[in-house]
Structures are given as C-alpha cells and as structure tokens.
Amino acid sequence: MLSYFLRRLILVLPVAFGVSVVCFMLVQIAPGDPLTAIMPVDATAEQQAAMRAAYGLDKPVPVQYLIWIANLLQGDMGRSIATGRPVAAEVFGAVGNSLLLAFSAAIIAFPIGTFLGFLAGYFRDTVLDRAVTAISIAGVSVPNYWLGIVLVIIFSVNLGWLPSMGAGPGGSQDWHWDWTHIRHLILPAVTLAVVPIGIVARTVRALAGDILSMDFVQALYAKGMSRGDVLRHVARNAAATALSVMGLQLGYLLGGSILIETVFNWPGSGFLLSNAIFQRDLPLLQGTILILAMFFVAMNLIVDVAQAAIDPRIKRS
Amino acid sequence: MAQVEAELQPQAEAAPKPQGYWSGVLGRLAGDKVAMACLIVIALLILSAVFAPWLGLADPYRGSMIARLKPIGTEGHILGADEQGRDMLARLIYGGRLTLFIGLMPVVFAFFIGSALGIAAGYVGGLTNTIIMRVVDVFFAFPSVLLAIAISGALGAGITNSLVSLTIVFIPPVTRVAEAVTSGVRSLDYIDAARASGAGALTVIRVHVIGNVLSPIFVYATSLTSVCMILAAGLSFLGIGVRPPEPEWGLMLNTLRAAIYVDPWLAALPGVMIFATSLCLNLLSDGLRSAMNVRD
C-alpha cells in the first residue's frame, strides 16, 4: 500500500509542476501591463523601470517563473495588487468558506444520488427507473447559477424563509455552527448539490445495473442468501468506482462553486476570484487558481489511493 | 435454362440490400421520439436565431423608460421588457445568436484539434504520445469551470476570448478520448497488414483509422455541448464573456438579477432558455449515442 502511494505521489509531481506553469502563464497571457493598475499615470520612464524591477518584471520569463516558484515553495504567493495584503492570507481564508460550501453540498448530494441511482438500477426499466433518469438528466443539464436565482426567488423573495446573500447576518465573514449561520448555507449548498446528484445517480444506476446482472448475484441467491446480504455484496463491488466518482465530484464542487458563490455573495474563493478578475488583480487571480487546482490534484491522489485501498485489483494493475 | 434462371431469381432477391452505416444511424435516431423532439427544438432555436432580423421582432437594443420591467404578458411585450425597457422576446431570440455560437463553436474547434492531437498521440505512440498526453493531464488537473474562468479572467471579456478559453477547456477531454480509441484501433491486425503492404502513416490514418475512431469521438464531443453552453453563458453571467449591450442569455440573467424583487419570473426567463437548450443537447447526445451503438 505504501509503495503504491509513493508511486502515485511521484506521478503527481509532474502534473503539479504543469499546473504551476499554467498558473504562471495566466499572468503572461493577460493583455496590458500588470502594473498599470497601481502605477501613477504621471510616472516617469525611470520610475516605471524601477517599479518593474521591484516586481521582478524586468527579467526574462523563465527567470521570473523560477523566482515565483521559489517564493511559492516558501509560502510566499506575492501580494494582492488591489489590497496590498499577502495573497496566501487572502486565499486561505476564502478557501475555508468554499470548502465548507463544497462539503455541505457533497453531504446533501452523495446520499441522495446514491439512493436514487441504486433504486433506478435495481428497478431497471420501470417507471421508477425512468423518473430517476429524468431527474439525473435534468440535474446535469441545469445551469446551476440560474437554479440558484430561482431558489432565491422562491425561498427568499416569495416565501421569505431563507436569506439570499452572504454567509451570515449582516455580511459577517466568521462562520459559526448556529442556526443564524446555517440558514445562509442552505440555499447555496442545495443549489450546488444538484449537478452532483445527477452525476452520482447516473453512475450508481449504471454500476448497480451491471453488477446485479452478473452471475455471482444469481449464485448468491441460489445458495439461499437473503436479499439484504446479496445487496451488501453488490454494494462492496460498486464501492470503489462510486467513491472515485464522488471524490472527483467533491473536487469539481470546490472549483465549480465560483458561479454559485457569485449568485449568493458567498465569501469563498470564487467570490475572491471574481473580485480579482474585475480589479485586474493578477497575483490574486493566479494564487486563487493555483490553490484550487492543487486541491483538485490532491483530491485525485486521495481518490486513487482510497480506491486502491478498497479494491485490491487496482493496486496490482 | 429458363428453369435455372427461375430458380436463381428468388435467391438474388432474398440477398439483403446493403445498408450504409450512417443510414442505419439516422434510421434509429428517427425512431427515437425524445431525440427527434430535441433535434426539432434545437433546429428551431438555431433557425430563429439566424433569421431573427426577418421575424418582425422589436429592436433588441432599443430601450424605453416607460416599458422598464413590464411583466410577462404585457400588450406589445409578450414576454415583458427588461430593466432598460427592451423587448424580452426579441432579446431572447437575438440572444440565441451569441449564446448558441459561443456555446457550440468551442466544441467544434476542440473536436478537430483534439481529434488531431489524440489520433496523432494514439497512432504514433512513444515520445509523441507521452508529450501530448502529459500536457493533457495537466489541464485535467483543473475543473473545467475553473479553467474557463481562469483563462477568460486573465484574457478579459469579449467574444473571441470566450471562444479561445472554452476551446482550450474542451481540447484535453476530446484528446484523451481520441487517444484511447485510436490506441485501441492501432493494435488491430488490419492496421499491421496495411503497414506491411507499404502504406505510409498518413495513408493508414486517413484510410483505416479515421473512419473507425471518428464516430466515438463525435458522440463524445456532442455530450460536451451542453456543458459548453452552460459555461459560455456562465462566463457572460460573471461579466467575463459577452459585453453589454449585446443580447446574450447569461448576460441577460446577470443584468436582470437586480430585478428579482420587482419581477422575479421575468428575471428567470433567460435561464429557462439556457436550461431548455442544454437539456435538449444532452438528450440528443444520449439518443445519438445509442443510435450509434457507442458504449462509454
């Protein structure tokens, strides 16, 4: 197991390197001078040159990358151009809120998706199956930023049950596990959960259907095993694949919450990202994308290792 | 002699008429009611978008102070009017032009570029394969929404920038599928036979590989169109896609958001268009998949 983990870890390193290059390139492809936002309009050519030198922009691009990555490895992601605060501090505060939202959505989506998918797979080609299939297709087709608006219209505007904005009363940024804060979490988490419900239901339906039609299921019934025990065998066979899909979905939830965070003014990484984009705060943009992508890479690694731990067949291949 | 001919006749007639692969696919697709309904909806959306100027609609750019946020069903504005008093029906139909264009073209571009890269990687193998596929792996490390927003955010708003960023987002998945199916075909005996008879790489690819790999890649690409639509409108919704005052569904959803307390269902209309289109694209892609007998 440990050697498998190390082997996977070594495979991750080139990907992580590539991700850092892509994030670095984001600033390079951006049109215009990254310093125009903070450079005084009447700056002389010498002042401009001094400023460029201070930010290391006078060096060749590969050298700039090496300086950037060296600082990065020491936890220094540069400073936000807009606020002057260290990027790392800004990003980590926001990522915490995004993780909270992503995990809440996962807690809603995975059990519902699994349950629906299993029902559909077990009762193949019945009305139930068709209903679940319709739900899952609708789930993967819905633009979730629009769904968020519709839920706000229903539950905030019309019924007035739940708040539509922010992560706490009065735009508070500090999270507490009490009802006044959890109320703010419900709508964004439900909105974010809809797409993974569709995807998990679809996956589990196909898995359950395939496994139930295997010979060993017949054999277990034939030897007199009870329905519940047979289903436990089916679940164990489906677990590795289902878990890997869910793990990836959790990663997507973190990266994909940007639009939802904008709809609900949720103070997470997506909100930070859209601010960074509009203020042309490229270091902040770069840092946020890098951290989110690295989370996704780590998630992939965890999923692979967990899958191998559950299903020994994967480790051998 | 006449007797012999008479005996042969029924046999000749009984031989099945050779049916082309594509006519078989189209026949099966035509029998799929859901897929056909979706095809009709999409065709109508595209046609109305293309022929919008000749449909006798109101000017989608001209606002009116009095008509601001008129509700759905108002005389003269069947679907109401937006926050600047512009006719919603006209804007929704005109909006299809940009939304469908930016929602579909990146998949078309990615289909060609990704197929070329994937077929090259799968056929040539070796170092070429390693280089192409490792670069693809890096892009797979980004969730698609994040990558699209990152590139669009860095490049800035604009139609071309949206097309570029979405194309970059969809090249890696197409490449991965193209590489997988090509590697599968590459190891078959008839490819070796063609190579042994002296055919060059390009000839083998053109004659023997493309025909066998294109339909699974194509079906896979159609399954990406719905995500691409949602992402394209999402970029405009965030303000990093199409610039105002162009009518575009995502952008309209964004500008009408401020009106949800005044006229909530009017504000939700552009999203209905995005949802309906992406639903039809998904169902059509599913129908195409089963008509072409492609397994995932």
Side-chain angles (χ1 to χ4, degrees):
Chain A
M1 196 62 226
L2 188 68
S3 78
Y4 178 82
F5 176 71
L6 290 176
R7 234 174 36 233
R8 282 291 296 123
L9 195 64
I10 290 166
L11 286 177
V12 160
L13 291 177
V15 172
F17 167 72
V19 167
S20 76
V21 171
V22 172
C23 289
F24 178 75
M25 291 308 291
L26 283 177
V27 171
Q28 309 296 317
I29 62 168
D33 193 314
L35 292 179
T36 38
I38 46 168
M39 191 97 73
V41 260
D42 56 350
T44 62
E46 282 149 42
Q47 285 169 328
Q48 286 187 15
M51 188 82 119
R52 299 183 69 76
Y55 276 83
L57 293 171
D58 55 341
K59 299 188 177 66
V61 171
V63 176
Q64 285 186 37
Y65 172 76
L66 289 177
I67 295 173
W68 180 69
I69 200 88
N71 288 334
L72 193 67
L73 292 174
Q74 294 166 32
D76 176 10
M77 299 168 66
R79 278 173 184 279
S80 155
I81 288 181
T83 63
R85 290 184 56 201
V87 168
E90 299 251 1
V91 175
F92 280 107
V95 164
N97 283 334
S98 289
L99 278 173
L100 174 72
L101 187 56
F103 274 106
S104 311
I107 288 167
I108 299 170
F110 295 166
I112 296 180
T114 310
F115 178 70
L116 289 178
F118 186 78
L119 275 188
Y122 194 79
F123 298 102
R124 260 268 157 93
D125 298 321
T126 61
V127 182
L128 203 63
D129 180 18
R130 255 165 264 148
V132 170
T133 307
I135 292 173
S136 66
I137 289 187
V140 295
S141 305
V142 73
N144 55 11
Y145 43 92
W146 170 74
L147 185 72
I149 295 175
V150 172
L151 291 181
V152 165
I153 291 174
I154 297 174
F155 292 101
S156 307
V157 179
N158 284 354
L159 298 173
W161 289 353
L162 292 166
S164 62
M165 293 282 179
S172 115
Q173 301 261 332
D174 303 313
W175 180 259
H176 300 286
W177 283 106
D178 55 24
W179 177 237
T180 48
H181 284 81
I182 293 172
R183 273 164 51 100
H184 283 81
L185 182 61
I186 296 176
L187 283 184
V190 168
T191 310
L192 201 53
V194 169
V195 174
I197 286 178
I199 292 171
V200 171
R202 217 181 216 193
T203 313
V204 172
R205 173 186 179 270
L207 269 176
D210 285 352
I211 295 172
L212 282 167
S213 63
M214 283 182 181
D215 289 339
F216 84 88
V217 176
Q218 289 300 314
L220 291 180
Y221 276 125
K223 77 169 192 178
M225 190 180 268
S226 72
R227 184 175 302 235
D229 286 343
V230 173
L231 290 185
R232 227 181 50 234
H233 282 268
V234 172
R236 275 205 62 155
N237 269 279
T241 315
L243 276 181
S244 79
V245 169
M246 290 181 202
L248 288 186
Q249 282 305 313
L250 191 60
Y252 282 122
L253 281 176
L254 189 63
S257 64
I258 302 168
L259 286 154
I260 300 303
E261 289 182 9
T262 311
V263 171
F264 291 98
N265 274 3
W266 186 262
S269 52
F271 196 59
L272 193 67
L273 201 56
S274 56
N275 282 341
I277 288 169
F278 290 112
Q279 296 167 337
R280 304 266 344 128
D281 191 344
L282 291 168
L284 188 58
L285 173 81
Q286 193 178 38
T288 315
I289 305 274
L290 182 76
I291 295 299
L292 289 177
M294 287 302 177
F295 257 107
F296 195 54
V297 172
M299 203 64 223
N300 276 322
L301 178 68
I302 294 169
V303 163
D304 277 354
V305 174
Q307 212 181 357
I310 297 168
D311 191 341
R313 285 171 297 188
I314 292 168
K315 217 173 353 185
R316 268 182 246 121
S317 64
Chain B
M1 198 60 187
Q3 199 189 349
V4 175
E5 254 176 44
E7 266 171 29
L8 280 175
Q9 202 66 26
Q11 254 185 332
E13 270 176 3
K17 194 170 155 243
Q19 199 195 17
Y21 170 72
W22 285 105
S23 65
V25 168
L26 287 180
R28 282 191 293 272
L29 196 63
D32 185 341
K33 287 199 194 72
V34 176
M36 286 319 283
C38 290
L39 187 63
I40 292 169
V41 171
I42 293 169
L44 284 176
L45 281 170
I46 293 177
L47 286 177
S48 66
V50 170
F51 295 105
W54 295 279
L55 293 179
L57 296 162
D59 181 350
Y61 296 97
R62 214 189 53 217
S64 138
M65 284 300 280
I66 326 162
R68 285 181 60 209
L69 294 173
K70 283 274 186 227
I72 299 170
T74 310
E75 182 86 40
H77 297 289
I78 296 175
L79 290 180
D82 73 359
E83 78 287 352
Q84 295 188 30
R86 297 171 294 197
D87 185 59
M88 277 298 275
L89 178 66
R91 281 184 76 75
L92 286 175
I93 290 179
Y94 273 93
R97 297 185 141 197
L98 277 174
T99 311
L100 291 168
F101 182 70
I102 305 176
L104 297 177
M105 287 319 284
V107 178
V108 176
F109 295 145
F111 172 68
F112 286 111
I113 301 172
S115 298
L117 286 172
I119 291 173
Y123 187 82
V124 180
L127 188 63
T128 314
N129 182 300
T130 309
I131 293 172
I132 294 177
M133 296 322 286
R134 289 300 81 79
V135 173
V136 164
D137 283 347
V138 168
F139 282 94
F140 260 88
F142 295 88
S144 53
V145 185
L146 185 67
L147 188 59
I149 292 174
I151 301 173
S152 281
L155 289 175
I159 296 169
T160 320
N161 289 347
S162 294
L163 288 173
V164 169
S165 78
L166 289 168
T167 305
I168 295 176
V169 167
F170 290 105
I171 289 174
V174 175
T175 307
R176 201 174 252 193
V177 169
E179 194 264 348
V181 287
T182 309
S183 310
V185 170
R186 173 76 176 81
S187 59
L188 296 176
D189 287 341
Y190 68 85
I191 301 286
D192 285 337
R195 278 160 48 89
S197 66
L202 282 178
T203 313
V204 177
I205 289 177
R206 187 168 51 82
V207 178
H208 298 290
V209 177
I210 292 221
N212 284 300
V213 300
L214 229 45
S215 56
I217 306 174
F218 178 73
V219 168
Y220 179 72
T222 61
S223 76
L224 297 174
T225 52
S226 124
V227 186
C228 189
M229 268 274 316
I230 293 177
L231 273 183
L235 289 178
S236 296
F237 177 72
L238 278 181
I240 48 177
V242 174
R243 290 199 183 90
E246 294 302 325
E248 197 279 344
W249 296 338
L251 185 62
M252 290 165 71
L253 199 58
N254 180 14
T255 54
L256 279 167
R257 248 182 83 199
I260 57 169
Y261 286 91
V262 184
D263 198 341
W265 300 115
L266 180 80
L269 264 185
V272 176
M273 300 297 286
I274 306 172
F275 186 25
T277 315
S278 108
L279 191 64
C280 284
L281 288 170
N282 257 333
L283 289 168
L284 184 61
S285 166
D286 282 355
L288 202 60
R289 178 184 300 270
S290 49
M292 290 170 96
N293 292 321
V294 175
R295 277 188 59 89
D296 341 50

